Amino acid sequence: MDKNTVIGFILIACVLIGFSWWNRPSEEEIKAQQELVEKEEAARKQAAAQKKAEEAKKTAQKALALEDSTALFHSALKGTANDIVLKNDKLELTLSTKGGTFTKAVIKGFKDREGNSDVTLFAGDEQQLDFKLEGKENNISTQDLYFTASAVTDSTVTMTADAGNGRKIEMKYLLGRDYLTHFSMVVTGMEGLFSTKTKTMGINWRERCRQQERGHAFENRYATLTYKKKGSGTDYLNEASEEIDEKIEKPLDWVAFKTQFFSAMMIAKTEFAANSSLTSIPEDKQSDYLKKYNADLETTFDPKGQTATELEFFFGPNDFRLLKSVEKESRFGKDLKMERLVYLGWPLIRYINRWFTLYVFDWLTKLGINMGFVLILITLLLKAITYPLVKKSYMSSAKMRVLRPKIEEATKQYDKPEDQMQRSQAQMQLYNQYGVSPLSGCLPALIQMPIWIAMFNFVPNAIQLRGESFLWIKDLSTYDPILEWGTHIWGIGNHLSLTCILFCVANILYSFMTMRQQRDQMVGEQAQQMKYMQWMMYAMPVMFFFIFNDYSAGLNFYYFISLFFSAAIMFILRKTTNDEKLLAILEARYRENKNNPKKKTGGLAARLEAMQQQQQEMQRKREELERRKRDLRNRNQ
């Protein structure tokens, strides 16, 4: 370090010290800041004390309200909570006589992440359902009441809460042949207890949603509180928000607490009234839960007891075909669109998945082959369908490659920056004379992108992949770790996924092949610009690694084999293309077009020529305007 550098550092230090000393606060300012801090602290303590007092007051009011509400049901205040089990071959539901609603749901035939033979959707207080009736003097909450069970079979139970003097609440459950349960509630002898304006019943439904799959972060992306608007489509609360609480202004047909592969859904016979309140709060990764769901709803209620309030509950897998068949079992006769629980993407992408991918997937699945081979066969089929367009695109690029020396020679006189428009126009004219379209080289990406997006939405939602193994992959629906560790690392997590590494490596190799192909066909400055672009293209696979490391092995495997086959097709086309014969064909076409003076420039070349003419006309008008201004100044002088 020389003397000037040392002196420079000393001067910088002196400036910084002097500036700090000059800007330090005075004693009066320090005292004022301390007083402000003390006032803020006192205000915080006062606010905390006030909040605590309000909470204590609310607790006391709630206890008093509970005492008033249950006074009507004095015989139902005390009792023993007994479990009633409804079951069939696919579902087992446990109901408690305390509250008269579900306390456990077990979906049969699907292994949980611990390897048990069935999936427990919820148990205990993880899900709670409370029906609220507002009376003239007393409010009724079914969660506080003990019910008596009667007419108990494997598929039916009647829950009755006795209020005395012939007054009662009766709730009936009927489990169907698979995942749908019908519910009805009616009151008897209680008409005089409700206001004449009482036409609705409040429903508070909440669930602490269990983590069912191996990857918490990945499953959480597909865990959403989903709902269907009456006479419209479905929607959902943003799954990525830290906490979201929405008021839905339109009436709803159903509300569903959804995980990646399983859902709990409540369906209204008439509707859930407008302004339903829906809440979704993400849970911590270490909690083994995904989200806290809450739905505050209202539906029709007859205080005279002549018409029952009817609901239906679905506890089952998110299987597109199964959901459509379950909907047909509903007693309500609505177009429920239950299959929308399986998200298939945006409208265009959903159309591809709905009318192509699903049918192909179903057909291959029925053959009884391994799901890994199903993904390979789907990839081969898609490559076969798109091959004619890919070949046409490649041949267009090959034509530009063999013409590159001629294009460079014909346009070398336009070497100045201001000649770029003329250079581009000359290139387009030559391409047009040789019968080549420069835009055709972009076709593979345009073809491939919708398919990649469609599979991005389809594969993670395909429950058929859940628990299916292939080669080294134990479960195609979650990540396949080649290495795991205990500490969470930002951007990577706690593992390395082998299929993700393979996908990213294949992406780098495929990018290298496509960049070389594009570089070989570009002329002049375009070729120089491509050198800078290639680093961005190589950086994308690295970015994909951080995105896809915790994605499902099935999705990464599909992308890997898709890139592999794309690279193989490009390699074969390159080896089977005779550049000399191709150039001879182009030269013949050039001579034919050159001898035809009536042939007009078309396509991109024509548009560039029109743009240049417009630019030249604008330049001419500017020069004419400047000339007039000069003449006017000269006359004034």
Side-chain angles (χ1 to χ4, degrees), residues 45-59:
K45 290 181 179 179
Q46 184 179 358
Q50 185 177 354
K51 183 178 180 182
K52 187 175 180 180
E54 289 176 354
E55 289 177 352
K57 183 178 179 181
K58 288 180 180 179
T59 302

Side-chain angles (χ1 to χ4, degrees), residues 452-472:
W452 273 45
I453 296 174
M455 296 303 288
F456 178 84
N457 287 283
F458 178 80
V459 173
N461 289 295
I463 195 172
Q464 292 85 352
L465 298 178
R466 187 178 184 270
E468 291 291 321
S469 61
F470 180 68
L471 299 178
W472 70 89

Side-chain angles (χ1 to χ4, degrees), residues 15 52 98 101 115 128 174 176 194 230 292 331 345 477 552:
V15 170
K52 187 175 180 180
K98 174 65 188 303
T101 55
Q128 298 177 32
L174 172 61
F194 300 104
K230 183 180 179 181
K292 289 179 182 177
R331 297 185 177 187
S477 69
S552 68

Side-chain angles (χ1 to χ4, degrees), residues 583-622:
L583 182 59
I585 293 172
L586 294 174
E587 289 287 2
R589 186 178 298 167
Y590 175 78
R591 288 192 296 271
E592 179 183 348
N593 292 333
K594 191 175 182 181
N595 294 329
N596 183 11
K598 295 182 179 180
K599 182 176 176 60
K600 296 181 179 179
T601 303
L604 184 60
R607 288 192 290 272
L608 284 174
E609 185 177 357
M611 289 172 60
Q612 185 184 24
Q613 290 175 354
Q614 290 177 0
Q615 187 179 22
Q616 291 173 347
E617 180 65 19
M618 291 175 64
Q619 180 65 25
R620 188 190 64 78
K621 289 181 178 180
R622 283 196 295 268

